[in-house]
Amino acid sequence: MTEQRSRKAVLLAISTTCAALISGCGVIPGGAGGSPGPVVVMTWAPGGTKSTNMPGMPAMAQAFADHINDMGGLNGRDLKVLTCNDHTDQVEAAKCAQQAQQEGAVAVIGSYSEQANSFLSTLEAAGIPYIGGYGLTQEEFQSPMSYPVNGGLPALLAGNGQQLAGSCSKVSLVRPDTIVGDQFPLFLDAGLKAGNRPPATDLRTADDATEYTSVAQRAAGSTKPGSCVAAVLGDRTDTFFDSFRRLGDELPNVRLASVIGSIQQSLIDSTGGKNSPLENAFVTSWYPPTSDSKWDPMKLVVKKYAFGDDRINVSDPGVQTTWIAYSVFTQVVRTMGEEEVTPLSLKRALDKATAVSTGGLTPDLGWRNENMLAVPGHPRMVNAKVVYEVVREGLLVAARTGFADMTPTLSHQGG
């Protein structure tokens, strides 16, 4: 009897202690059972820098979380989004990854950074999946913790080269003089080669300049009738095109081109719409034009949960990538049912995932071995399809129906 009373006393003490704790006893945040805490994730992107900024990505992540939580959360658990600004700086990017680990994030989702070599090692050590990065760096297509949703800049540039090859006898590429930018000519030239065109003239320049008169003059001097000028400078692309336009009488009769992210609908609108110097420009994108009805669910979420938030531009491919990445994450977590969501359990679910629908915004996605494409140096790439667009009557519209698959082009680059 004494032993039984003693056991009851211990159980009573544990129950009393648990009742005094707000979080409950034996409940891991993000886990199942009792009063589970939220599923914690992180989204990061640069903001307030002199080069490319993507403040809309963390803002879109928060709007998505508000939407999901209003619908009952993820298997009954709230979704909590942490945000971080990597300031396009190696040290700050590493700090963002450390914060994700310290605050219990199960994934980093829909993020933008040029500093993959600084943050991926931390995520790998912590076993935290990186879902739907923007696709700027080669490391994003190499790390076993990375789950890309698009083909990144390799697919965009190869697609742009192939798109230009149909109309341009010669191409000049204006791109950042950075480690990331050094990869641009390789992929653009692969696309040009696939269309039996010579390599582009490579024009390097700063990605944080306030004017580009000098490189614009070099671009104009390297062209002739039937030539095209492709500029891929992120946020500074509009500054280059402005400098190019100001050449006036020096301006040759060439066709302009770029990739989504360096050109988007808001830039066309701000430079004159139908009268924009970007009229007839060739543009390569990962996703259908923003006018496509497949984007309506995202637009409704932004209207309801981020109305008036000028950080979110629905035509911004960063915002769109974040939407797709969170949609994928949500589907995969829901397949886990009552299983505790941890970095490890999420990775196992991602590694088994296949035929994950994005509503037609991309081909169905999956990260099993059979989904990986044979792209040299990019073993984690699962989607190399792009959309050809053109600026027509002041609007970015599809230049052809459906996706163009860059897998063969990228598989033979340099060959």
Side-chain angles (χ1 to χ4, degrees), residues 257-320:
S258 190
V259 299
I260 203 69
S262 289
I263 283 185
Q264 55 197 48
Q265 186 61 51
S266 57
L267 174 58
I268 299 164
D269 295 341
S270 67
T271 55
K274 293 181 181 180
N275 299 313
S276 170
L278 298 173
E279 183 70 14
N280 295 318
F282 291 120
V283 182
T284 307
S285 176
W286 295 303
Y287 316 126
T290 312
S291 58
D292 194 298
S293 61
K294 297 181 185 71
W295 290 112
D296 287 353
M298 180 189 74
K299 293 175 183 178
L300 289 172
V301 167
V302 171
K303 183 177 181 180
K304 183 173 182 179
Y305 297 98
F307 183 77
D309 188 339
D310 59 9
R311 294 175 298 170
I312 299 180
N313 178 349
V314 294
S315 70
D316 182 338
V319 168
Q320 295 173 347

Side-chain angles (χ1 to χ4, degrees), residues 81-373:
V81 174
L82 309 173
T83 62
C84 194
N85 183 348
D86 85 340
H87 296 283
T88 313
D89 179 85
Q90 289 188 347
V91 174
E92 294 299 320
K95 287 181 180 177
C96 287
Q98 291 163 5
Q99 181 188 346
Q101 180 182 9
Q102 292 164 359
E103 298 197 31
V106 301
V108 175
I109 307 173
S111 296
Y112 180 108
S113 179
E114 298 178 19
Q115 314 300 329
N117 59 340
S118 296
F119 69 75
L120 271 171
S121 58
T122 300
L123 297 185
E124 288 169 356
I128 298 174
Y130 184 66
I131 305 171
Y134 193 83
L136 285 171
T137 65
Q138 190 171 8
E139 291 92 340
E140 293 174 65
F141 297 98
Q142 294 176 328
S143 172
M145 300 311 299
S146 182
Y147 296 84
V149 299
N150 60 42
L153 283 176
L156 282 185
L157 288 159
N160 200 228
Q162 205 156 312
Q163 185 180 12
L164 295 177
S167 302
C168 309
S169 57
K170 188 73 176 70
V171 175
S172 296
L173 171 64
V174 181
R175 53 87 170 181
D177 189 8
T178 63
I179 293 174
V180 172
D182 288 344
Q183 303 297 308
F184 291 9
L186 303 178
F187 301 119
L188 187 80
D189 289 348
L192 290 170
K193 183 178 180 180
N196 297 313
R197 297 293 189 181
T201 300
D202 183 21
L203 301 175
R204 295 172 291 178
T205 189
D207 65 350
D208 59 356
T210 56
E211 60 87 26
Y212 288 100
T213 302
S214 175
V215 73
Q217 289 172 335
R218 286 159 56 204
S222 65
T223 61
K224 58 184 180 180
S227 297
C228 297
V229 174
V232 183
L233 292 167
D235 280 1
R236 290 296 184 267
T237 304
D238 62 336
T239 307
F240 168 78
F241 282 138
D242 184 62
S243 295
F244 195 73
R245 178 182 59 81
R246 290 175 184 275
L247 293 178
D249 293 339
E250 301 176 52
L251 187 64
N253 183 23
V254 299
R255 196 159 184 178
L256 301 178
S258 190
V259 299
I260 203 69
S262 289
I263 283 185
Q264 55 197 48
Q265 186 61 51
S266 57
L267 174 58
I268 299 164
D269 295 341
S270 67
T271 55
K274 293 181 181 180
N275 299 313
S276 170
L278 298 173
E279 183 70 14
N280 295 318
F282 291 120
V283 182
T284 307
S285 176
W286 295 303
Y287 316 126
T290 312
S291 58
D292 194 298
S293 61
K294 297 181 185 71
W295 290 112
D296 287 353
M298 180 189 74
K299 293 175 183 178
L300 289 172
V301 167
V302 171
K303 183 177 181 180
K304 183 173 182 179
Y305 297 98
F307 183 77
D309 188 339
D310 59 9
R311 294 175 298 170
I312 299 180
N313 178 349
V314 294
S315 70
D316 182 338
V319 168
Q320 295 173 347
T321 298
T322 300
W323 169 264
I324 291 169
Y326 270 87
S327 300
V328 164
F329 167 76
T330 299
Q331 289 183 64
V332 172
V333 169
R334 284 179 171 158
T335 67
M336 296 171 66
E338 292 302 310
E339 181 180 4
E340 180 187 339
V341 183
T342 66
L344 178 58
S345 66
L346 177 59
K347 176 173 171 53
R348 284 197 301 259
L350 287 164
D351 289 340
K352 294 187 295 184
T354 192
V356 179
S357 173
T358 62
L361 296 173
T362 68
D364 287 354
L365 299 171
W367 299 272
R368 297 181 181 181
N369 287 336
E370 61 265 29
N371 299 124
M372 305 298 170
L373 305 178

